[in-house]
Amino acid sequence: MSTQSYALRDSATMLRRNLKHLARYPSMTVVLVGMPIVFLLLFVYVFGNTLGAGIGGAGGGRAVYVNYVVPAIILMTISATVQGTAVSVAMDMTEGIVARFRTMSIARVSVLTGHVFGSLIQSMLSIAAVFGVAFLVGFRPSAGVGAWFATAGLVALMSFAFIWLFVAFGLAAKTVESASNVGMPLILLPFLGSGFVPTDSMPAVLRWFAEYQPFTPLIETLRGLLMDKPLGANAVLAVGWCVVVALGGYLWSKKLFNRESAN
């Protein structure tokens, strides 16, 4: 068996370990998915009628706003779900299991790839659950089949990128508690972009930040795909940001993991 085959076999074993861990302790998944759903219901049923009137004019309202806000909730779901990745990685690093793995004859890369692909599956299931609730509260996208495939691909790419970033956060965290809080700023970024209200309604300084921060092109690309609107330069910016975040997170994770191995 080649080195690559051993690495794939060990990565599959670590993936099964992480999926069993998620199934054995579902409370974290429920909490991480529940928060975006609560925000969805809050914004649709409490603020939706008023905010929708500002977006759709006289013909706006709750029905218009739910179509507007769902892309931001999807991105918030990814941010919330991958926060659990940082916690899981930090638990492995602080509870000695990684040190135990290092004494075994397994591919070292499999420890992190197990976390990455386990979290990717968890993220996609969480997003499917949020989409389900969104449809129940009136979300009515106009995307065609091709746009739905593109949406799925973009969501997977965003999840993959943020997972690698949060793996690095988990490796860098000194405690599990600090790992559980390190991603909070990312959860708030959709509020400081075009996620919940148009950027042109913001003060000048905040509008500048909202238009150029990375979450805005991600949200606008999702919104364009789901509502069959022109994407403009947002699609290129969205993919570019994902590649930068994924590559940066991977290289940072690799450096931190190798440093821990050397100690």
Side-chain angles (χ1 to χ4, degrees), residues 10 14 17 89-112 115 167 170-173 252-263:
D10 293 340
M14 289 298 169
R17 169 183 175 266
V89 171
M91 288 177 64
D92 277 359
M93 298 302 294
T94 57
E95 293 181 353
I97 188 66
V98 172
R100 173 63 177 155
F101 287 149
R102 286 172 183 148
T103 66
M104 302 168 66
S105 179
I106 62 173
R108 196 166 56 185
V109 68
S110 65
V111 178
L112 294 185
H115 277 291
V167 166
L171 290 169
W252 189 18
S253 300
K254 182 179 178 182
K255 180 180 179 180
L256 291 172
F257 194 71
N258 288 338
R259 185 186 66 185
E260 291 295 329
S261 298
N263 292 333

Side-chain angles (χ1 to χ4, degrees), residues 48-58 60-61 198:
N49 216 25
T50 301
L51 294 176
I55 292 172

Side-chain angles (χ1 to χ4, degrees), residues 148-168:
W148 272 109
F149 275 109
T151 299
L154 179 61
V155 167
L157 181 61
M158 288 192 295
S159 299
F160 184 74
F162 283 110
I163 287 168
W164 270 117
L165 180 63
F166 276 66
V167 166

Side-chain angles (χ1 to χ4, degrees), residues 82-91 166 169-184:
V82 299
Q83 193 169 353
T85 307
V87 174
S88 298
V89 171
M91 288 177 64
F166 276 66
F169 285 161
L171 290 169
K174 300 299 181 185
T175 64
V176 175
E177 288 75 16
S178 61
S180 66
N181 297 320
V182 73
M184 289 304 294

Side-chain angles (χ1 to χ4, degrees), residues 39-70 133-140 196 227:
F39 272 100
L40 173 64
L41 298 177
L42 178 69
F43 274 88
V44 170
Y45 287 110
V46 178
F47 306 121
N49 216 25
T50 301
L51 294 176
I55 292 172
R62 188 171 291 118
V64 171
Y65 190 68
V66 67
N67 288 336
Y68 183 86
V69 79
V70 163
V133 175
F135 279 112
L136 290 176
V137 300
F139 179 54
R140 296 295 180 266
F196 295 90
M227 304 312 298

